Structure formats: C-alpha cells, structure tokens
Amino acid sequence: MFSKACEYGIRATTFIALQSLRNRRVSLKEISQEVGSPMAFTAKILHQLAKNDILESTKGPSGGFQISMERIHTIKLADLVLAIDGNSIYEGCGLGLRKCNASKPCPVHFKFSVIRKELKTMLQGTSLFELAQDLETGVTHLKR
Amino acid sequence: MFSKACEYGIRATTFIALQSLRNRRVSLKEISQEVGSPMAFTAKILHQLAKNDILESTKGPSGGFQISMERIHTIKLADLVLAIDGNSIYEGCGLGLRKCNASKPCPVHFKFSVIRKELKTMLQGTSLFELAQDLETGVTHLKR
DNA sequence: CTATATTAGGATAAATTTGTCCTAAATGAT
DNA sequence: ATCATTTAGGACAAATTTATCCTAATATAG
C-alpha cells in the first residue's frame, strides 16, 4: 500500500511526536533504533519531512528532530503520506490507466473510488497526536 | 496499491474474459495491443495466471488464451490479485511491522483493518463476468 | 574559540520490479 | 509430414526503490 520509505516515515514521525509530547528532541540514531529502520535511509526521509514542514530539525550536539505541540495536533497521516509518496494513492487509477475518470472509467473505477475515499478520509482524520497517544499508553508498538 | 504486473494482469484478463464470452480465443499479441501493455512482460504474467488455473493457454496457430464460461463467473478479482501480488495486500502490516496483530498492534492497525477488510470484500465480490460485461456495454475501457 | 555531535546532502551500491530478447516446445493448418 | 504460428521459459537489461558511505555544513557544549 505504502512505500517502505513511507512506512519508515510514519513510524519515525510517530516516535518523534511521542517524544515531543514529553518535550524531548530526539536524534536520528535514537529514532532509527527505536523504530527499527535503516539509519541513513531514515535520514533522507526525515530530511524530506523537514523540508515539508512536518518536522523541525536542529544540527549540532543535542540536536535532532522534534515537532511543535501545535503541529502534533494539526498534522494528519495524510500529510505524511503526501510528503513521501505523493498523491498517487489518492489520484492514480487502480489499473494504471493514465486517463481514467468517471466519464471514461476503467472496469474497477467506481468500486475503487469507494475504497479510496474511505482511505483518504481515514488518513485525513488521523492526527499525529492520536498515534502518539496510543504509543504512550502502551496500546501500540513501532518496532518490527 | 497493486504492482504494475497486477494492473496489466487484471486488464489483460478482463479483455480475455470479454472475448471468451464471445467465444474467441485471443493471442498475446492482440491482448497486449488492446490493453496497452508490454508484450513480453504480459506474457510472463499470463503464464503465471495460467499456472494458477485462471487462464487456459493453447500453443500453435490460432492458439492463445481463453477462460471457460463457468470460470468467468467463479473467478474473482481477489483471485487475480492473489495469483500475482500474493497475499501481502491482505495480510501485511500497514507500517511494515513483521509481527503486528490485534494483541500487539502498530499505531494504525485497527484503522487499516477496516479499510483492508472492505477492499478484500470488494475484491472477493467482483467477478470477471461483471468486469467483462461493463467492457462489453462500452461503459468501461482498458487502454491507457 | 575549539572540539564534538549532529543533520544535510551527494555519490554510489544493492535489491527489486519492470521490461526485452532469444530459443525451445508444442500444436494447428495445409 | 512439414511448416508456420504461438506459448513457455530462461537469460539478461533497464528502471526504480531501498540502502549505505562519506564529506560538508552547522550548532552546541565546554
């Protein structure tokens, strides 16, 4: 469904959000360890998320990544996915047709539209705060 | 969502189903032309579908691919997807965790379960016949 | 101010997916 | 029976995604 990069990105960002709620900035090293993702690859992803105003990054000793309290509430899963995987998951035709729309649909167009709309709604309705809180309470986990 | 191979596979199979309804066996060449897919690559996919008892193939002059009337009704989209992409779309964790389940879920586990269940239901409920008929009536299209 | 820790970012490698090419095997047409 | 046509299938090439490595830039601690 999502690319590996996106999976890592969501896991990492959820971890960062949790630590930001505790007022802790976290380093790439800690993130990739806690999330079980390859460090250098994770660096690229976090860099991209920072460019997209999803994370704040700070260089130097005691540097790392963090998210402001306000952003933890306003950032939705949909924003992460968009920043990493682009909008293909929302836009693209289920059968890969370049021009597929309601007036010239592929055979699965309408059935897919339903599913995709629900996916979109779910992603747009899920905030980082929600994800981080489930982690905090120990309900959910991030490590493979 | 699906691999390119799966997209081509679904498009090709839908076309074969339509022609089989008209009692026509179709060659790889015609299929890849009508569906807009690379011929040699499509050959591999059709071969795999044949091995999985989704298509019947015949060599030699006037050979090609076809599907029995009965199978056109019993084969569901879910069977195609399973044969080509495996069960990762049904089974795998949305965030790529190896062991993610209801008792030790990832942060998006339950929200994804809902979507995936609906996707599964849709795929299992959509027959080749249905897809082919929408093509027949000109409601839907297959070419990029 | 200096040394050190940390992110930024380019180059490159490995793995996977997608796509091509060619020969073998089979089968129907003649 | 022979030949042309078509699928089967292996080898390989290209493209994309995933992953690693190294140096530069930068900020903080001391």
Side-chain angles (χ1 to χ4, degrees):
Chain A
M1 174 144 289
F2 300 138
S3 68
K4 226 77 181 100
C6 197
E7 293 176 356
Y8 294 151
I10 295 172
R11 277 150 63 187
T13 304
T14 304
F15 178 71
I16 297 167
L18 169 62
Q19 298 303 326
S20 291
L21 285 175
R22 294 172 176 166
N23 227 26
R24 280 192 69 222
R25 185 191 285 162
V26 278
S27 71
L28 168 64
K29 192 178 166 191
E30 183 179 351
I31 295 165
S32 57
Q33 274 171 359
E34 289 305 314
V35 146
S37 63
M39 196 162 91
F41 189 42
T42 305
K44 311 269 179 192
I45 301 163
L46 296 185
H47 178 49
Q48 185 162 0
L49 289 174
K51 277 199 302 186
N52 281 271
D53 284 314
I54 287 172
L55 305 177
E56 297 161 38
S57 71
T58 316
K59 292 178 183 174
S62 83
F65 297 87
Q66 74 204 94
I67 311 174
S68 77
M69 288 300 160
E70 194 218 331
R71 294 292 280 144
I72 289 179
H73 285 87
T74 58
I75 294 169
K76 311 293 183 187
L77 257 186
D79 301 315
L80 294 191
V81 174
L82 184 66
I84 302 173
D85 279 351
N87 65 357
S88 66
I89 204 170
Y90 307 120
E91 303 286 320
C93 166
L95 296 188
L97 301 186
R98 273 196 292 255
K99 19 192 170 180
C100 169
N101 49 59
S103 64
K104 196 176 179 183
C106 77
V108 301
H109 183 83
F110 297 107
K111 299 199 172 206
F112 264 71
S113 293
V114 175
I115 305 284
R116 205 139 52 175
K117 190 170 180 183
E118 296 188 26
L119 175 62
K120 195 171 182 175
T121 301
M122 185 274 273
L123 294 175
Q124 288 177 337
T126 305
S127 69
L128 277 186
F129 182 75
E130 188 178 342
L131 298 182
Q133 252 195 347
D134 284 351
L135 251 196
E136 172 89 298
T137 59
V139 172
T140 60
H141 302 79
L142 281 180
K143 225 171 169 177
R144 47 182 171 130
Chain B
M1 174 144 291
F2 298 139
S3 69
K4 226 76 181 104
C6 197
E7 292 177 357
Y8 294 150
I10 294 172
R11 278 150 61 186
T13 304
T14 304
F15 177 72
I16 297 167
L18 168 62
Q19 298 303 326
S20 290
L21 284 175
R22 296 171 177 167
N23 228 24
R24 282 192 68 222
R25 185 191 285 163
V26 279
S27 71
L28 169 64
K29 191 178 166 189
E30 182 179 353
I31 295 166
S32 56
Q33 273 170 0
E34 290 304 315
V35 145
S37 63
M39 195 162 92
F41 189 42
T42 306
K44 310 268 178 192
I45 301 163
L46 297 185
H47 178 49
Q48 184 162 1
L49 289 174
K51 278 198 305 184
N52 281 270
D53 285 314
I54 287 172
L55 306 175
E56 295 160 41
S57 70
T58 316
K59 293 177 184 177
S62 82
F65 296 88
Q66 73 204 98
I67 311 175
S68 77
M69 288 300 162
E70 196 219 331
R71 294 292 280 144
I72 289 179
H73 285 85
T74 58
I75 295 170
K76 311 292 182 186
L77 259 186
D79 300 316
L80 294 191
V81 175
L82 184 66
I84 301 173
D85 279 353
N87 65 358
S88 65
I89 205 169
Y90 308 121
E91 303 286 321
C93 166
L95 296 189
L97 301 187
R98 274 197 290 257
K99 21 191 170 180
C100 169
N101 49 59
S103 64
K104 196 176 178 183
C106 77
V108 300
H109 183 82
F110 297 107
K111 298 200 171 202
F112 263 71
S113 292
V114 174
I115 306 284
R116 204 136 54 173
K117 191 171 180 182
E118 295 185 28
L119 175 62
K120 196 172 182 174
T121 301
M122 185 273 271
L123 294 175
Q124 287 177 339
T126 305
S127 69
L128 277 185
F129 182 75
E130 186 177 342
L131 299 182
Q133 251 195 346
D134 285 349
L135 252 195
E136 173 89 297
T137 59
V139 173
T140 60
H141 303 79
L142 281 181
K143 223 169 170 177
R144 53 190 167 121

